[in-house]
């Protein structure tokens, strides 16, 4: 099995990465930084986002496993002291052959950003946000090529189901199970009075729908795709839709999504 490890860079994560490499070498796993079959993320959810974007061009051909070094992360199944057990599962220690994990696939967000200076395509695991740099954002939102509303406020957050537990939740958005292929639009401090109106409620769009966000004044904006920031001063529009691609997580033991939610927010 070809593997790669990406760690957060702190002392504990680096030590765990070294431990993983040592255990993997003893079990004849092959370290491959270019075309791994499985990527081990050691750190937190931010580390998993980094790992995802590092190997984004190989998404259909690999899977991810998360090891958390702090509080329980939504993308991490394993604790810092469980690396030997994880290696055993991967190598089938105690069985006749390596254990085949259950592959859990999560929906992703596809973005097409159109600017006066050119167009680019992106994929997000958690969310896409649009915010103003100098003041109130003025944007038009179309759903399925029909004008839905004119938004004024601090910005918008468009999230995946797995990202619905992150920034989206703090904006009053719903937590959505990753088996539901959808995107969610949540407002960031919208202006609502007798002159300007917005929906004022998060919207959930299914896979076969899309939304377009049009800039409706000269404005400096900050676009964020997961942990990557893109300053823009010539935005024309952004198209958001559920991607045909999915991320795969290798599950060597069950860890249901609602258990993650409960442990993250209620225990």
């Amino acid at each position: 099995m070809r593997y790669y490890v990406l760690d957060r860079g702190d002392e504990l994560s680096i030590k765990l990465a070294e431990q993983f490499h040592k255990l993997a070498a003893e079990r004849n796993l092959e370290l491959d930084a270019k075309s791994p079959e499985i990527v081990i993320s050691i750190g937190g959810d931010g580390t998993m986002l980094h790992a995802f974007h590092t190997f984004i061009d190989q998404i259909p051909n690999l899977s991810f496993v998360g090891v958390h070094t702090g509080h329980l992360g939504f993308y991490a199944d394993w604790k810092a002291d469980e690396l030997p057990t994880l290696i055993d599962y991967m190598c089938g220690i105690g069985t006749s052959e390596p254990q085949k994990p259950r592959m859990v696939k999560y929906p992703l967000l596809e973005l097409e950003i159109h600017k006066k200076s050119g167009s680019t395509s992106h994929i997000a695991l958690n969310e896409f946000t649009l915010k103003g740099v100098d003041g109130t954002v003025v944007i038009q939102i179309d759903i399925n090529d029909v004008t839905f509303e004119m938004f004024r406020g601090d910005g918008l957050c468009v999230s995946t189901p797995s990202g619905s537990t992150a920034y989206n939740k703090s904006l009053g958005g719903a937590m959505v199970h990753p088996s539901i292929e959808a995107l969610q639009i949540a407002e960031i401090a919208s202006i609502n009075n007798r002159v300007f109106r917005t929906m004022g409620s998060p919207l959930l769009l299914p896979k076969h729908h899309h939304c377009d966000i049009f800039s409706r004044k000269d404005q400096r904006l900050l676009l964020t795709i997961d942990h990557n920031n893109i300053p823009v001063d010539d935005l024309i529009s952004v198209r958001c839709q559920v991607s045909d691609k999915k991320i795969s997580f290798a599950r060597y033991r069950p860890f249901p999504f609602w258990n993650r939610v409960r442990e993250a927010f209620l225990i």
Side-chain angles (χ1 to χ4, degrees):
M1 178 184 292
R2 302 186 310 278
Y3 80 94
Y4 184 72
V5 174
L6 194 149
D7 65 76
R8 184 164 55 189
D10 61 290
E11 184 177 355
L12 175 57
S13 297
I14 291 173
K15 286 183 178 180
L16 290 173
E18 293 172 349
Q19 180 187 359
F20 190 95
H21 288 310
K22 181 179 179 180
L23 292 169
E26 293 172 354
R27 309 288 167 76
N28 296 316
L29 297 183
E30 178 186 353
L31 177 61
D32 187 340
K34 294 184 177 180
S35 58
E37 297 172 80
I38 190 165
V39 175
I40 312 299
S41 166
I42 300 178
D45 283 345
T47 312
M48 180 61 77
L49 291 176
H50 185 196
F52 169 75
H53 284 277
T54 298
F55 291 95
I56 196 165
D57 293 334
Q58 301 180 47
I59 288 302
N61 303 315
L62 56 77
S63 58
F64 294 83
V65 172
V67 179
H68 64 88
T69 56
H71 297 294
L72 179 64
F74 273 90
Y75 296 123
D77 294 358
W78 300 87
K79 299 177 182 177
D81 60 354
E82 295 181 315
L83 287 189
T85 304
L86 172 58
I87 289 283
D88 285 349
Y89 273 106
M90 291 174 62
C91 298
I93 302 300
T95 62
S96 59
E97 61 182 16
Q99 296 292 303
K100 291 184 178 180
R102 184 170 68 95
M103 291 299 173
V104 177
K105 297 181 181 293
Y106 284 4
L108 301 171
L109 175 63
E110 181 178 314
L111 303 162
E112 296 177 13
I113 300 176
H114 302 287
K115 302 179 292 181
K116 295 177 182 177
S117 55
S119 299
T120 54
S121 298
H122 305 267
I123 299 289
L125 174 56
N126 262 12
E127 74 264 315
F128 160 74
T129 63
L130 180 153
K131 295 181 179 179
V133 174
D134 301 312
T136 300
V137 169
V138 180
I139 50 178
Q140 175 184 319
I141 301 172
D142 288 10
I143 297 178
N144 296 338
D145 304 315
V146 177
T147 299
F148 183 76
E149 69 176 11
M150 190 69 70
F151 174 90
R152 290 171 173 82
D154 285 357
L156 287 180
C157 172
V158 183
S159 66
T160 66
S162 53
S164 68
T165 60
Y167 191 18
N168 169 77
K169 180 179 180 297
S170 71
L171 298 172
M175 287 184 281
V176 180
H177 194 279
S179 64
I180 299 173
E181 296 182 80
L183 62 83
Q184 186 168 181
I185 306 171
E187 299 177 353
I188 306 173
S190 61
I191 296 175
N192 277 285
N193 53 38
R194 61 190 181 89
V195 178
F196 303 125
R197 299 295 300 167
T198 70
M199 180 58 64
S201 173
L203 303 174
L204 200 63
L205 303 187
K207 182 175 182 179
H208 59 286
H209 288 194
H210 64 268
C211 75
D212 293 295
I213 302 168
F214 297 92
S215 178
R216 284 300 180 241
K217 73 172 185 178
D218 291 332
Q219 51 192 337
R220 291 196 300 159
L221 301 168
L222 181 64
L223 310 184
T224 302
I225 301 169
D226 289 333
H227 60 306
N228 299 313
N229 296 320
I230 305 174
V232 175
D233 61 6
D234 63 344
L235 182 70
I236 298 173
S237 67
V238 181
R239 171 160 289 195
C240 307
Q241 59 190 359
V242 178
S243 175
D244 289 332
K245 298 178 181 178
K246 290 185 177 183
I247 184 174
S248 296
F249 293 98
R251 292 277 159 75
Y252 289 94
R253 59 186 181 185
F255 196 171
F257 176 76
W258 296 120
N259 285 19
R260 296 171 190 268
V261 170
R262 180 172 178 269
E263 292 190 18
F265 298 112
L266 297 176
I267 296 179

